[in-house]
Amino acid sequence: MNRSGFFRFMQRGLGLAAAVALAGAAYAQQEPIRIGAFLSVTGPAAFLGDPEQKTLEMYVEKLNAAGGVLGRKLQLVSYDSAGDAEKARTFAKRLIEQDKVDVIVGGSTTGETMAVVPLVEAAGIPFISLAGALVIIDPVKKWVFKTPHTDRMACERIFLDMRDRKLERIGLISGAGGFDKSMRAECLKVAPTYKVQIIADEAYGAGDTDMTAQLTKIKNTPGVQAVLNAGFGSGPAIVTKNFKQLAMNMPLYQSHGVASKEFIKLAGDAAEGVRLPAAAVLVAEQLPAGDKQKTVSVNYKKDYEARFKQDISTFGGHAHDGLMIAVEAMKRAGTTDKAKVRDAIENTKGFSGTGGVVNMSATDHMGLDLTHFRMLEVKKGNWTLVK
Amino acid sequence: MSAQLAQYLLTGLTVGAIYALVALGFAIIYNASHVINFAQGEFVMIGGMATVSLANAGLPLLVAIPVAVLTAAAVGVALAKFAVEPARGASVVTLIIITIGASILLRGLATLVWDKKLHALQPFSGDQPIAIAGATILPQSLWVLGVTLAIVLLLGWFFGRTLTGKAMLATSHNPLAAQLCGVNVRFVLLLSFGLSASLGAIAGILIAPITLTSWDVGVMLGLKGFAAAILGGLGSGTGAVVGGLLLGIAESLGAGYVSSAYKDAIAFVIILAVLFFKPSGLFGKKSAERV
């Protein structure tokens, strides 16, 4: 190659590079905002991840149809972590390093969420978890937020209701999962505040198919006035069935971990009279007209049921709230800059979601209180609002 | 206190009867081919899931149940025909690994054919609990116990009184001699898989109203049935039934009096103990002599 040939080659090469760079810049303006998600769409926690996934898909579509956010389209990058904390970690890594998402909304279970926390903290990416346990936001982690009520709030709400019904001595039965164990610990911790005594404390394993032995033990503990089951998945349905089989004539409380129609279907008649704290969305139509959550809950219910021909659960609602909080924060921040979005999420005030009215702060990365945590009772195979 | 004990025993017997049916399935296939069929739990799942889906499609239980059992039997025969038989002459360990592969395949297929959700089946005759000696039992538990008893008697008659049954027994003692006497050993293999699959399916259907059913319900039930078969002595029919009932009761008493969190561990501690102290199981003398 002679000198002038080389020079020409360089010129052409530079021109090409410049063209590529220009095209890249133009493309970046069209670059979608990437919402990352890792959800338990299959596996033991599929009843959480499945409605969450559907909800995210539906609302990303809706937001895009309405012109997107900040003039950019949204793109959902979602992986199925199948209830496995190890997989959740791998997928979160991929979301951060490979897919370069702007925000993560996901983590169906506490185990999966906690496995990912160190990654998002190190990478500095806003993460809104859809899992229940208090440990996710207590102590506060800079980049981690969550939308569902905590297990401690579930205990508090249940104990409030027990106090109203003058139930003071109760039996506790819990499963072996992360949520189950965490809720059990929280209930034991806050019980004295509400003057509730836990006089029997039983456990069952994951995938157990019969809890009559444990319930018999509780039944034969003198003085038990009510039973509280901390758990989610198949366990509570079987506990409820066994509870009826043993003809235990006392109130049974479940956690918000079973707040879907699936539970009533599985437990059948035995579910009658069971009480549990849950987000308002389950009883959207029964809410009084002035309720702040009425519009958002009824709309979510309509959208979801029209699209998927499926009963709603509170879990899909948490995903709705998570996505909307992230989107609102981006709008307020006017950018997808991660640090600014994080600050905006932390400053979320008066956001009416399906789970409640959210007022976050530097010390509270969930922003919910007990007022919007409803006590429901199963009557004639349906949820009804207590009082 | 005695009412408490009665409750534990009733619970243990119900679960134990299911373990016994699964263990019988292990025993029949083991006798015919010396293979431990680790896909046995999947037959339980197929029985339960097929019945649920057929019942949801509007078929009455009386139709849905036989169809589900036949489906499972067909899967069992297909497993023998297309997976175990072509590998004839391979070592027993290879055959066992084939059944493990088959169990994973069947679970995967189940998630595709059906779904990954839990399902409940309507109890056969209501769900009003019946009180016995201060304890309560579901009508479905009586179905479980009754049908298990009937099946045990039927199998006793089949192996003791019919030519086909005797041919299967002969094959289990000495396949070569049986073949020389005119027994169709290949047919016996297929029959044993079909029979075990049916037993598993029946177990899965009986237990579905009590414990719910899903695509992965077979894993634990299969392992528990295997533990029961080991406890009773592999290949022994009586052993399978006794082993199943003992295991069920041990679990229930353990959960009631010791700690409920370690219920599943009990089965596996029993396997270890049996393998240490009496590897042939409670009723398994025969197989020890054969060596």
Side-chain angles (χ1 to χ4, degrees), chain A residues 42 203 210 212 216-217 241 245, chain B residues 7 11 116 118 129 136 209 256 260:
Chain A
T42 62
D210 185 292
T212 45
T216 303
K217 241 173 141 177
K241 283 180 155 210
Q245 180 202 335
Chain B
Q7 186 67 51
T11 301
K116 289 172 180 151
L118 285 162
T136 52
S260 44

Side-chain angles (χ1 to χ4, degrees), chain A residues 41-43 46 50 202-214 216-217 219-220 233-234 237-238 241-242 244-247 262 265-266 269-270 310, chain B residues 3-4 7-8 11 15 116-121 127-129 134 136-138 141 208-212 215 217 220 252 255-261 263-264:
Chain A
V41 183
T42 62
D50 182 59
E202 292 297 318
Y204 53 84
D208 254 10
T209 52
D210 185 292
M211 286 72 154
T212 45
Q214 292 92 322
T216 303
K217 241 173 141 177
K219 188 184 178 185
N220 290 332
S234 63
I238 298 172
K241 283 180 155 210
N242 291 163
K244 192 192 174 203
Q245 180 202 335
L246 294 173
E262 205 72 21
K265 239 177 255 168
L266 289 175
D269 287 348
Q310 219 178 42
Chain B
Q4 203 170 343
Q7 186 67 51
Y8 297 149
T11 301
V15 183
K116 289 172 180 151
K117 286 188 192 157
L118 285 162
H119 294 275
L121 185 64
D127 53 2
Q128 261 335 298
T136 52
I137 188 167
L138 288 173
S141 300
I210 304 180
T211 65
L212 314 177
W215 63 280
V217 76
M220 214 35 161
S252 172
Y257 290 118
V258 189
S259 165
S260 44
K263 200 177 125 185
D264 289 332

